[in-house]
């Protein structure tokens, strides 16, 4: 029925379809819908407080007994560099003046803390079946604690070297994240975005380099992409952008409109919103400040300075300063409930496989 069952067997799921964890856009409702449909629902915790994580995990465990996936950031905490911060705010000064905002205005900001003991306590308590990390892996003692819960450990690789590094440290499966992917790149062994290959080139090379099963991510949004991922040696797919038009996605009307109207040529990699490279729909901030800037404060500190501009612009209906994360295949996204999308992706993939 499926060309490869390694990921279904490893995760205990029916379909080789993983809804990508997408911080700020995916919460319990989507996770439950996808897991109940037979795929793997994924809760991103990168922007959640401990209390929010607990609430989301309680809501998920109440509504489904199917396997779930919980995702954390594991970046090195940044050093605050006052000079760099001052120069970056100077660069933004003309926008503060233009929009009439106080650059020190307080804007509720997200957590973006790396995985730590307290988050690990929640993993121990809620024992998600799959735990993944973005930006490498946390320190070994935390990995050991996660492993002792029986969870399967996964992380994203953006190069063959990163995939080997993750396998050597005990990852049970590896997400090969191609250049097309929306949101933050998992890149962690280098800062050089010119090292980043597309899904078509990356997946087979990662599949050749590691023994653990590979999950393809980046630009996959319909059955054609899923079939291609299997042909390239992946055992499953992780799909992000295509789930952003589901009603369960917490995406503002402004962001939703941008996603619906974006073409393959309108996204780019930028570091100006957070300090790390991520794919987003081109807007004024990216055009004028980036797309890649050497002066931006380290991840995640860069987000603070743009916060007041984003708030003010959004209140006036403008996405000029909003990070509109999107992969290159947003035009293939369909406005379907997440369960329906998951089931259709599976049925259409099986139909396509039979047609060869
Ligand atoms: C809005 C958005 C937010 C994302 N947030 C996360 C995240 O919190 N953690 C993570 O591991 N990956 C995150 N990603 C990357 C996805 O896991 C995945 O690699 C990507 O969506 C795949 O490419 P696609 O968007 O073309 O399907 C995000 C992607 C998007 C589009």
């Amino acid at each position: 029925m499926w060309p490869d069952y390694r990921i279904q067997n490893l995760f205990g799921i029916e379909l080789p379809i993983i809804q990508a964890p997408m911080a700020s856009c995916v919460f319990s409702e989507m996770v439950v819908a996808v897991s109940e449909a037979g795929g793997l629902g994924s809760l991103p915790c990168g922007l959640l407080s401990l209390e929010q994580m607990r609430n989301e995990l309680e809501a998920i465990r109440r509504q489904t007994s199917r396997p779930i996936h919980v995702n954390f950031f594991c970046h090195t905490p940044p050093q605050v560099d006052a000079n760099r911060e001052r120069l970056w705010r100077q660069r933004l000064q003309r926008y503060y003046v233009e929009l009439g905002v106080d650059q020190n205005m307080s804007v509720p900001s997200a957590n973006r803390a790396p995985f730590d003991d307290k988050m690990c306590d929640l993993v121990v308590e809620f024992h998600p079946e799959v735990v993944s990390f973005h930006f490498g892996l946390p320190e070994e003692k935390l990995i050991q604690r996660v492993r002792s819960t029986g969870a399967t450990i996964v992380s994203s690789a953006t190069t063959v070297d990163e995939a080997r590094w993750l396998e050597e440290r005990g990852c049970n499966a590896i997400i090969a994240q191609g250049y097309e992917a929306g949101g933050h790149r998992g890149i962690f062994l280098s800062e050089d975005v010119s090292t980043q290959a597309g899904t078509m080139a990356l997946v087979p090379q990662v599949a050749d380099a590691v023994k653990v099963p590979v999950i393809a991510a980046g630009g996959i949004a319909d059955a054609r992409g899923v079939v291609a991922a299997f042909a390239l040696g992946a055992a499953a797919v992780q799909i992000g952008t295509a789930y952003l038009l589901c009603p369960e996605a917490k995406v503002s009307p402004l962001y939703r409109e941008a996603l619906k109207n974006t073409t393959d040529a309108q996204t780019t990699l930028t570091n100006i919103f957070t300090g790390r490279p991520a794919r987003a729909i081109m807007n004024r901030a990216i055009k004028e400040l980036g797309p890649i800037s050497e002066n931006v404060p380290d991840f995640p500190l860069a987000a603070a300075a743009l916060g007041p501009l984003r708030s003010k612009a959004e209140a006036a209906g403008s996405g000029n300063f909003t990070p509109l994360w999107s992969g290159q295949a947003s035009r293939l996204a369909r406005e379907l409930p997440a369960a329906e999308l998951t089931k259709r992706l599976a049925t259409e993939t099986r139909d396509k496989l039979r047609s060869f």
Side-chain angles (χ1 to χ4, degrees):
M1 190 82 112
W2 292 102
D4 193 322
Y5 277 91
R6 284 176 299 160
I7 285 291
Q8 280 122 298
N9 293 339
L10 188 64
F11 294 173
I13 53 176
E14 267 168 49
L15 308 173
I17 296 172
I18 302 163
Q19 154 259 310
M22 292 186 282
S24 81
C25 302
V26 174
F27 295 85
S28 53
E29 196 186 348
M30 187 180 297
V31 178
V32 171
V34 174
S35 283
E36 281 291 300
L40 186 68
S42 311
L43 179 73
C45 294
L47 300 187
L48 300 182
S49 66
L50 286 170
E51 194 191 345
Q52 288 169 320
M53 280 178 216
R54 169 176 293 285
N55 290 342
E56 293 301 312
L57 286 164
E58 278 173 358
I60 293 168
R61 286 305 201 197
R62 242 193 338 265
Q63 295 173 80
T64 184
S65 53
R66 301 267 180 123
I68 57 159
H69 165 202
V70 175
N71 168 264
F72 299 93
F73 292 163
C74 60
H75 53 286
T76 311
Q79 298 293 328
V80 180
D81 178 339
N83 195 38
R84 206 151 168 207
E85 189 69 32
R86 186 180 54 77
L87 290 174
W88 184 241
R89 282 182 190 262
Q90 249 172 29
R91 181 113 196 262
L92 301 183
Q93 188 57 34
R94 72 180 173 105
Y95 302 110
Y96 295 130
V97 173
E98 182 189 317
L99 271 65
V101 295
D102 172 3
Q103 58 165 295
N104 299 315
M105 166 180 134
S106 109
V107 176
S109 68
N111 181 27
R112 281 203 178 95
F115 188 64
D116 61 13
D117 270 311
K118 291 215 159 63
M119 296 184 209
C120 202
D121 290 344
L122 289 173
V123 169
V124 172
E125 185 179 339
F126 289 92
H127 50 85
E129 288 71 10
V130 182
V131 174
S132 77
F133 298 100
H134 214 39
F135 315 131
L137 285 172
E139 57 182 308
E140 184 58 30
K141 86 171 175 21
L142 288 171
I143 300 178
Q144 291 296 349
R145 282 191 71 200
V146 173
R147 195 170 283 121
S148 70
T149 67
T152 297
I153 298 178
V154 181
S155 184
S156 289
T158 66
T159 59
V160 168
D161 280 353
E162 288 179 350
R164 287 205 178 100
W165 188 98
L166 294 171
E167 183 181 48
E168 279 161 18
R169 282 155 188 80
C171 275
N172 305 104
I174 287 166
I175 301 158
Q177 191 196 32
Y179 190 65
E180 300 90 323
H184 283 94
R185 303 212 46 71
I187 185 169
F188 61 93
L189 286 183
S190 158
E191 292 190 353
D192 181 359
V193 289
S194 72
T195 58
Q196 304 290 279
T199 304
M200 182 86 150
L202 182 67
V203 173
Q205 295 186 73
V206 170
D208 284 350
V210 299
K211 293 197 179 60
V212 294
V214 174
I215 299 160
I220 302 166
D222 64 15
R224 293 169 293 185
V226 185
V227 169
F230 278 120
L232 294 172
V237 292
Q238 177 158 292
I239 296 179
T241 303
Y243 277 95
L244 288 177
L245 292 189
C246 297
E248 295 92 339
K250 299 286 179 270
V251 165
S252 68
L254 188 150
Y255 186 5
R256 205 170 277 273
E257 258 334 276
L259 284 164
K260 286 203 240 175
N261 295 310
T262 294
T263 69
D264 54 315
Q266 287 170 323
T267 70
T268 189
L269 275 194
T270 181
N271 65 352
I272 63 151
F273 292 114
T274 65
R276 285 188 83 106
R279 184 170 294 282
I281 297 168
M282 188 72 91
N283 63 4
R284 181 177 170 202
I286 301 177
K287 273 191 207 128
E288 295 180 9
L289 295 164
I292 299 290
S293 168
E294 306 235 312
N295 307 319
V296 73
D298 283 346
F299 181 89
L301 301 173
L306 274 167
L309 297 170
R310 174 185 175 171
S311 284
K312 188 73 188 276
E314 285 182 359
S318 156
N320 277 346
F321 295 92
T322 305
L324 303 162
W325 309 128
S326 170
Q328 290 180 328
S330 60
R331 193 150 44 179
L332 301 177
R334 290 175 277 183
E335 288 181 89
L336 291 172
E340 178 71 21
L341 176 61
T342 308
K343 287 182 195 157
R344 281 215 206 169
L345 283 167
T347 310
E348 289 164 6
T349 300
R350 281 190 295 237
D351 288 347
K352 193 154 250 334
L353 285 166
R354 269 195 294 270
S355 74
F356 287 117

